[in-house]
Amino acid sequence: MTRRDFIYKWLIYGLALLPVWWLDTYILNRVPLLGVSPVLLPLAAVAVAVQEGAVAGAGFGLAVGLLCSAVYAGSSGGIVLGVCLIGWGAGAAAQYVLSQNFGGCLLCSMCGLAGLDAARILTRLLNGAGDFSAMLRLAGLEILWSMAFVFFIYSWFRRVRRQIAKFLRL
Amino acid sequence: MKDFLRNNGLLILIIAALLAVLTGVGSVFLRGTANPLSNVLNVVATPVRDGLSWLAHQTEAIYNYAFEYDALKEENERLRKENADLAATAREGEAASRENERLRQLLGLREKRSDIELEAASVTARSTSNWTSTLTISKGSAEDVAVGDCVIDAASNLVGVVSEVGVNWSTLITVTDASLDMGGLVSRTECAAIVEGDFSLMSQGKLKLTYLPDNADVAAGDQILTSGRGGVYPSGLVVGSVESVLTDPSGMTRYAVLTPAADLDSLIEVFVIKSFNIVE
């Protein structure tokens, strides 16, 4: 793959992220289920990581993390590292332990979201804010509701990957 | 293991860690001013969000006209009656005000006044995280909106407090957000307490009135106002009404569950209180 192909590839992935961001930030948060909206951006990082591997997953995760830090109100810099780690971990797990398919993506998405929420709960507990059982309930609902979108996100990025391969004749 | 990490994105992870530290430290030092990345992204997105929000509003108006005409007609009649009643109350109020002014002059008391500078803004986006309750509005530092400014709706109901300011946008935490706390006052009995968001009530769109004195007279339906103590927030803004009064799990203290007066789910236009000078 030439440098030009590399740039085109990640530019297309970046463009493919826009509708997911739009859906996450402007549409789905208007129709919460039991007061909870799904979280799609980390799922996008996992979907790309599972298909592209650990290094690409970490890179894309870093970009998605920066986007999350910019769009999710009240998020600290920790989310940049968190999503980057999720991308890296999902890529490595799918590459070496699981398989690079929907099953691997499903498992990695669940672990990734659980990791993010665990970090959030821990931070709030350390700051002495929030009731543990209420936070646990919220995290559970958020993960369950978000998992309903894994198939959609995975299919979307698989389709994008195929289009990239066709476009760049890889 | 070292080779595995070197070949598998250790550099990217280090960059991510550095960016995380930079963003975290930046947000501490910027004290509510949006970080450059967030600012650029939102400056670009604000006009698009404004357009979309206008489109959504127009679509809703057309839908209401087409499918809820009878309900709107009924509501219009009810509002006309309510308007007539309010006009009568206002006339009585004016007379009482004049009398009050006269008596104050006789007693040599200072005049009660409230100078509030408002900035109208439209709501362009809603909470983007399940862990906070926020709204994004279309005015920012270019219009002198600052962190800590109170935001109200058209009926002077408290919507929230500005928490982050960009150039042409701001984010506010709503009254139901778990991180909000301010002085509150029971309108009927003038009993002071603390209004605060609660994590378990946030998803239901409710909040709490805590630190109630032992002898506090609070009942369902009571209106809660901001107390304005400390001078940080203006007094007299309607926060909400008491839904129920409960005893906390320890059995030692009571708290009240409040329903916000502002309809946070369907707000279109809000007003930022940029400065205030209330003399009680």
Side-chain angles (χ1 to χ4, degrees):
Chain A
M1 187 187 278
T2 63
R3 183 182 286 261
R4 188 172 142 271
D5 288 349
F6 180 83
I7 293 170
Y8 275 140
K9 179 182 170 179
W10 290 104
L11 204 64
I12 296 169
Y13 268 129
L15 287 174
L17 190 65
L18 290 181
V20 179
W21 164 47
W22 202 256
L23 198 66
D24 184 331
T25 317
Y26 299 110
I27 310 292
L28 290 172
N29 64 345
R30 285 176 182 262
V31 280
L33 189 75
L34 295 171
V36 176
S37 311
V39 182
L40 303 189
L41 287 176
L43 298 184
V46 172
V48 172
V50 163
Q51 296 177 76
E52 296 286 347
V55 184
F60 194 69
L62 173 63
V64 174
L66 284 168
L67 184 65
C68 287
S69 160
V71 299
Y72 290 154
S75 57
S76 64
I79 201 161
V80 181
L81 181 63
V83 181
C84 183
L85 277 172
I86 287 174
W88 180 74
Q95 221 174 341
Y96 303 110
V97 186
L98 305 165
S99 48
Q100 293 180 291
N101 57 17
F102 175 64
C105 181
L106 200 67
L107 207 62
C108 291
S109 298
M110 200 162 72
C111 294
L113 289 176
L116 268 185
D117 281 347
R120 277 191 182 118
I121 292 174
L122 207 64
T123 313
R124 278 175 170 76
L125 285 177
L126 287 174
N127 289 332
D131 167 29
F132 181 66
S133 56
M135 288 194 283
L136 213 57
R137 184 182 169 276
L138 175 63
L141 281 172
E142 185 180 88
I143 293 169
L144 274 178
W145 189 200
S146 303
M147 290 304 287
F149 288 84
V150 173
F151 180 73
F152 163 75
I153 301 285
Y154 178 77
S155 307
W156 169 244
F157 281 102
R158 198 175 63 164
R159 195 181 158 82
V160 169
R161 190 170 188 248
R162 282 186 187 153
Q163 292 300 319
I164 290 171
K166 210 189 279 180
F167 178 67
L168 300 176
R169 297 181 201 287
L170 295 173
Chain B
M1 185 65 186
K2 206 174 164 185
D3 283 343
F4 172 82
L5 286 173
R6 191 177 293 148
N7 298 329
N8 287 279
L10 183 64
L11 185 67
I12 298 172
L13 289 177
I14 293 170
I15 293 171
L18 286 174
L19 281 170
V21 171
L22 207 68
T23 315
V25 170
S27 64
V28 169
F29 281 103
L30 289 168
R31 290 172 190 274
T33 305
N35 67 62
L37 179 76
S38 185
N39 212 346
V40 168
L41 194 80
N42 281 289
V43 163
V44 175
T46 295
V48 185
R49 278 202 307 245
D50 282 352
L52 279 175
S53 141
W54 177 85
L55 197 69
H57 183 47
Q58 292 304 315
T59 312
E60 198 183 337
I62 293 168
Y63 175 85
N64 284 342
Y65 184 76
F67 299 103
E68 291 179 12
Y69 185 77
D70 290 338
L72 286 174
K73 207 171 157 188
E74 216 168 90
E75 191 187 6
N76 190 32
E77 267 168 37
R78 188 177 52 79
L79 289 173
R80 274 172 193 274
K81 271 184 201 161
E82 207 175 292
N83 190 33
D85 291 345
L86 287 172
T89 315
R91 277 194 297 275
E92 284 168 24
E94 271 172 32
S97 239
R98 278 195 298 272
E99 188 186 5
N100 184 35
E101 208 175 303
R102 214 167 42 241
L103 291 171
R104 273 180 179 273
Q105 273 173 359
L106 282 172
L107 290 168
L109 289 175
R110 264 204 309 174
E111 195 187 348
K112 254 189 178 184
R113 63 187 169 83
S114 108
D115 301 326
I116 289 179
E117 191 189 349
L118 296 173
E119 180 74 44
S122 53
V123 175
T124 57
R126 285 163 205 286
S127 287
T128 45
S129 165
N130 294 313
W131 300 79
T132 54
S133 172
T134 60
L135 292 174
T136 305
I137 56 172
S138 62
K139 296 287 169 73
S141 56
E143 290 83 16
D144 293 331
V145 173
V147 171
D149 285 352
C150 279
V151 180
I152 55 173
D153 68 3
S156 286
N157 298 318
L158 183 67
V159 173
V161 178
V162 174
S163 61
E164 191 180 14
V165 181
V167 177
N168 62 350
W169 61 276
S170 304
T171 301
L172 59 108
I173 52 166
T174 72
V175 286
T176 61
D177 188 90
S179 63
L180 183 124
D181 64 280
M182 59 168 60
L185 202 67
V186 182
S187 168
R188 183 175 57 88
T189 58
E190 300 217 327
C191 164
I194 300 291
V195 168
E196 61 180 25
D198 181 85
F199 214 83
S200 48
L201 293 171
M202 193 172 73
S203 60
Q204 300 166 40
K206 288 169 188 164
L207 66 155
K208 250 177 168 180
L209 183 72
T210 56
Y211 294 101
L212 284 168
D214 291 340
N215 55 352
D217 179 12
V218 187
D222 277 349
Q223 199 174 49
I224 307 300
L225 311 174
T226 54
S227 68
R229 285 189 184 172
V232 181
Y233 304 117
S235 60
L237 304 175
V238 184
V239 179
S241 55
V242 175
E243 189 185 275
S244 53
V245 182
L246 306 165
T247 306
D248 81 349
S250 69
M252 303 290 282
T253 53
R254 289 185 307 152
Y255 67 92
V257 175
L258 311 181
T259 307
D263 184 0
L264 301 173
D265 292 330
S266 57
L267 276 173
I268 294 164
E269 188 159 46
V270 291
F271 302 88
V272 182
I273 300 178
K274 292 202 290 187
S275 62
F276 64 93
N277 181 17
I278 296 172
V279 179
E280 296 282 359

